Amino acid sequence: MKRIKIADVLSGSLVGDPIVVKGWVRAFRANRFIQLNDGSTIKNIQAVVDFENFDEHTLKRVTIGSAIAITGKLVESQGSGQALEIQVERIDIIGEAHPDDIQKTVMQPKRHSLEFLREQAHLRFRTNTFGAVFRIRHAVSYAIHKFFNDRGFYYLHTPIITGSDAEGAGEMFRVSTLDPKNPPLTDDGNVDYSQDFFGKQVNLTVSGQLEAELGALALGQVYTFGPTFRAENSNTSRHLAEFWMIEPEVAFNDLTDNMDLTEDFLRYIADYVLTNCEDDLAFLNEREQKEQQSKPKNERSELSLIERLEFVRDNAFKRITYTEAIDYLLRSRPYKKNQFKFDVQWGIDLQSEHERYLVEREFQSPVIITDYPASIKAFYMRQNDDGKTVAAMDVLFPGIGEIVGGSQREERLDVLKAKCADFDIPEEELWWYLDTRRFGTVPHAGFGLGFERMVMFATGMTNIRDVIPFPRTPQNAEF
RNA sequence: GCUUCUUUAGCUCAGUUGGUUAGAGCAUCUGACUGUUAAUCAGAGGGUCCCUGGUUCGAGCCCAGGAAGGAGCGCCA
């Protein structure tokens, strides 16, 4: 008989049928009730053993964490905790798990701290929490592809190894096949990268944006969705050295079009998760509520996980300019009471405390801040007519901070070349990028979304290391 | 990179002014019970008190250095 996934057993109408399910034992209570999970859903199926008439040796091997196949009849449950259960006719042990060993792992049947679970990232998939997180991570990933595909975007694969270091997005990891102990040297004593694999110095990508622009200026609308690397020594709950980024780029879009696209996109993902991940969301929602109860009242978030997703789905984001944001901050209570650690004045880069004030206190909703001072933004952002600001936008989410950063790109060749000079970027390095401004240049815009930050928002997890299977952070590349 | 907190049983933690044999809950094992839902009841086993050095008659506790982890900040997505 072919195995049926537990998700299909629970959603189907197979009562009375003989079935086979396979999975891992989560609990075996009273020598009678086996809770089996196969990853297809957060729910377990209960299998009821008539142990008085069953081979004792086999039952002894049904331990927590072991993999078994159950053959039996699906019936309506006599107990109150579940609608359906399996009357066991036969148990086959597929893979044993010894309790003494299991006890040392995260499969030990009790609540664990997220830190302990992180130390056993290879086994944490077996827990309810991480099962839910990674099913939702998949759903978000699929929703992103579906959103763009349904709107006629093309998925563009930009390179992971790149020779361009002009993005200015951060420190990069060098890629080389040279002997680190004895590299070839040039006459002046530097490493001679002309003898390296690519004949030049190359790095892991920090952004696919510049290449995505090249695609957009022919295909019209494209997006990238791939791994991204930053060698920054960032030790926070919001940064990874290896993360996934989504970067759409659209020809003929201006900043307002860009904001509209961003809002549609974020709302779509929120809606997709709400309608397709009900069980996992309900579990994470309850988990968060329990955790909130142990916190002091002033630290609790006002909305639950599900309410936050509904809020994003149902409400327009607040849109303000950088200049307005500064005005709000200057009129704010914490500013007047001298509670900000960093000073507020036009021209500063907004600090976390400022962004948090605007999102969590002033507006209590996602906020899009636009038109930042040119001096604190990247060279490719389009200069506004005032000469001081650029057509940039940052989307700020409560609890997460900057989730999206984007801009209208500078399409005017002369302005862009002047910007390169201002930022000390040699034109020779970006000849291919500048070429697009020579041949039928058009206004265009795009944004970058940190995938893991979106998954944090969708799951309510507060540490980014808990939404990627195997996190890469400074001093940690285990598994 | 900076600030700060933490490190004691498999896990989460308590451990008094420096004093004899380091505790609890959960988990595990054994037994009892058997329609359980974090099952229940009884019993048992389980310790490099993060590491190195120092002070002291005596250190889980005090001092110095180091390591690992968390939170916050900076950089950013």
Side-chain angles (χ1 to χ4, degrees):
Chain A
M1 224 185 319
K2 203 166 160 19
R3 107 175 157 101
I4 306 177
K5 288 197 295 268
I6 290 169
D8 297 334
V9 173
L10 295 176
S11 64
S13 48
L14 301 166
V15 176
D17 290 1
I19 58 168
V20 176
V21 294
K22 297 181 182 179
W24 295 269
V25 175
R26 284 291 179 80
F28 188 11
R29 273 189 293 271
N31 209 23
R32 190 186 291 282
F33 305 100
I34 301 171
Q35 301 295 330
L36 199 70
N37 187 281
D38 68 358
S40 61
T41 161
I42 195 165
K43 290 179 181 162
N44 301 327
I45 187 105
Q46 172 159 289
V48 184
V49 188
D50 189 12
F51 67 88
E52 294 89 343
N53 307 310
F54 218 90
D55 171 35
E56 202 177 314
H57 178 66
T58 304
L59 289 184
K60 276 260 184 270
R61 295 165 72 208
V62 178
T63 56
I64 288 166
S66 62
I68 64 173
I70 288 174
T71 309
K73 195 167 82 172
L74 188 68
V75 297
E76 283 176 14
S77 177
Q78 296 172 33
S80 56
Q82 57 284 313
L84 301 171
E85 65 190 20
I86 300 173
Q87 275 299 339
V88 175
E89 279 154 23
R90 174 182 170 160
I91 296 174
D92 294 290
I93 311 289
I94 301 171
E96 292 186 340
H98 294 106
D100 287 349
D101 301 329
I102 286 289
Q103 203 212 162
K104 292 175 181 156
T105 74
V106 298
M107 286 179 281
Q108 169 184 129
K110 71 186 289 291
R111 267 186 79 88
H112 299 293
S113 66
L114 292 170
E115 290 80 13
F116 182 57
L117 289 158
R118 222 170 279 150
E119 288 170 16
Q120 298 186 25
H122 59 310
L123 297 174
R124 63 180 177 170
F125 298 109
R126 300 268 189 113
T127 65
N128 282 332
T129 298
F130 284 91
V133 165
F134 290 118
R135 275 186 295 270
I136 290 175
R137 183 180 165 108
H138 161 79
V140 173
S141 178
Y142 177 73
I144 288 165
H145 285 298
K146 184 164 165 53
F147 174 87
F148 286 124
N149 182 67
D150 290 353
R151 284 156 186 75
F153 281 68
Y154 300 110
Y155 179 24
L156 191 71
H157 295 96
T158 52
I160 289 166
I161 298 172
T162 168
S164 129
D165 61 354
E167 288 95 336
E171 289 294 312
M172 293 187 283
F173 290 102
R174 189 168 294 154
V175 178
S176 173
T177 57
L178 295 178
D179 179 2
K181 278 189 202 147
N182 187 25
L185 299 177
T186 57
D187 291 342
D188 50 7
N190 293 317
V191 175
D192 183 5
Y193 286 103
S194 71
Q195 294 186 47
D196 204 345
F197 187 90
F198 294 105
K200 64 190 287 196
Q201 215 175 314
V202 296
N203 303 286
L204 294 178
T205 183
V206 292
S207 164
Q209 182 204 309
L210 300 188
E211 288 91 346
E213 283 186 50
L214 312 182
L217 292 174
L219 297 166
Q221 36 190 22
V222 302
Y223 71 105
T224 74
F225 186 173
T228 311
F229 307 87
R230 303 274 167 92
E232 305 283 352
N233 189 13
S234 296
N235 295 290
T236 80
S237 53
R238 305 184 308 282
H239 291 87
L240 291 166
E242 176 184 289
F243 63 101
W244 289 65
M245 190 152 64
I246 297 100
E247 294 173 294
E249 197 68 39
V250 184
F252 312 110
N253 263 15
D254 63 14
L255 188 65
T256 304
D257 299 324
N258 204 27
M259 286 192 276
D260 293 344
L261 178 68
T262 308
E263 274 202 50
D264 285 349
F265 173 73
L266 294 173
R267 252 204 285 286
Y268 181 89
I269 295 172
D271 180 58
Y272 187 90
V273 172
L274 282 165
T275 51
N276 290 280
C277 307
E278 263 184 284
D279 295 340
D280 290 321
L281 263 189
F283 175 82
L284 292 172
N285 199 60
E286 195 180 329
R287 184 182 188 286
E288 187 188 76
Q289 306 264 266
K290 277 185 201 153
E291 202 159 275
Q292 296 274 317
Q293 282 166 14
S294 65
K295 282 187 184 171
K297 272 218 169 83
N298 58 339
E299 283 178 29
R300 295 182 196 172
S301 62
E302 291 181 19
L303 299 179
S304 72
L305 167 61
I306 290 173
E307 287 166 341
R308 293 196 299 274
L309 283 165
E310 287 170 345
F311 189 92
V312 165
R313 182 191 61 189
D314 300 334
N315 291 280
F317 298 1
K318 179 73 187 175
R319 298 182 184 188
I320 58 171
T321 66
Y322 169 88
T323 303
E324 288 165 344
I326 292 289
D327 286 344
Y328 276 111
L329 289 170
L330 288 173
R331 287 199 301 266
S332 71
R333 271 181 64 172
Y335 178 78
K336 288 178 179 162
K337 291 180 137 184
N338 222 356
Q339 285 166 341
F340 286 133
K341 230 174 104 189
F342 294 87
D343 194 24
V344 178
Q345 59 176 44
W346 201 96
I348 60 156
D349 207 350
L350 297 179
Q351 303 293 321
S352 297
E353 59 178 359
H354 304 143
E355 294 179 348
R356 251 208 323 268
Y357 168 79
L358 292 170
V359 172
E360 290 164 19
R361 293 275 164 271
E362 182 77 41
F363 299 115
Q364 300 188 4
S365 88
V367 176
I368 308 182
I369 301 178
T370 61
D371 302 295
Y372 283 81
S375 57
I376 58 170
K377 287 291 178 183
F379 78 97
Y380 51 71
M381 297 189 177
R382 191 179 195 278
Q383 195 157 63
N384 288 329
D385 293 341
D386 62 13
K388 296 191 303 185
T389 59
V390 289
M393 59 160 209
D394 281 359
V395 181
L396 309 177
F397 265 26
I400 291 177
E402 185 181 342
I403 191 162
V404 164
S407 67
Q408 187 175 339
R409 319 306 190 187
E410 184 56 73
E411 85 281 11
R412 298 161 295 189
L413 182 63
D414 52 336
V415 182
L416 188 56
K417 282 166 88 168
K419 273 307 224 8
C420 284
D422 285 352
F423 282 76
D424 281 326
I425 298 168
E427 287 181 26
E428 311 87 77
E429 255 182 48
L430 285 178
W431 63 272
W432 43 273
Y433 185 70
L434 295 170
D435 252 8
T436 53
R437 274 64 171 173
R438 292 192 175 97
F439 310 126
T441 191
V442 298
H444 60 288
F447 62 83
L449 169 82
F451 178 59
E452 280 76 17
R453 291 195 181 168
M454 190 65 215
V455 179
M456 285 171 83
F457 186 75
T459 57
M461 303 303 282
T462 53
N463 191 314
I464 201 165
R465 292 164 198 146
D466 296 329
V467 298
I468 189 167
F470 303 105
R472 298 289 175 256
T473 52
Q475 300 299 315
N476 186 6
E478 193 63 58
F479 308 107

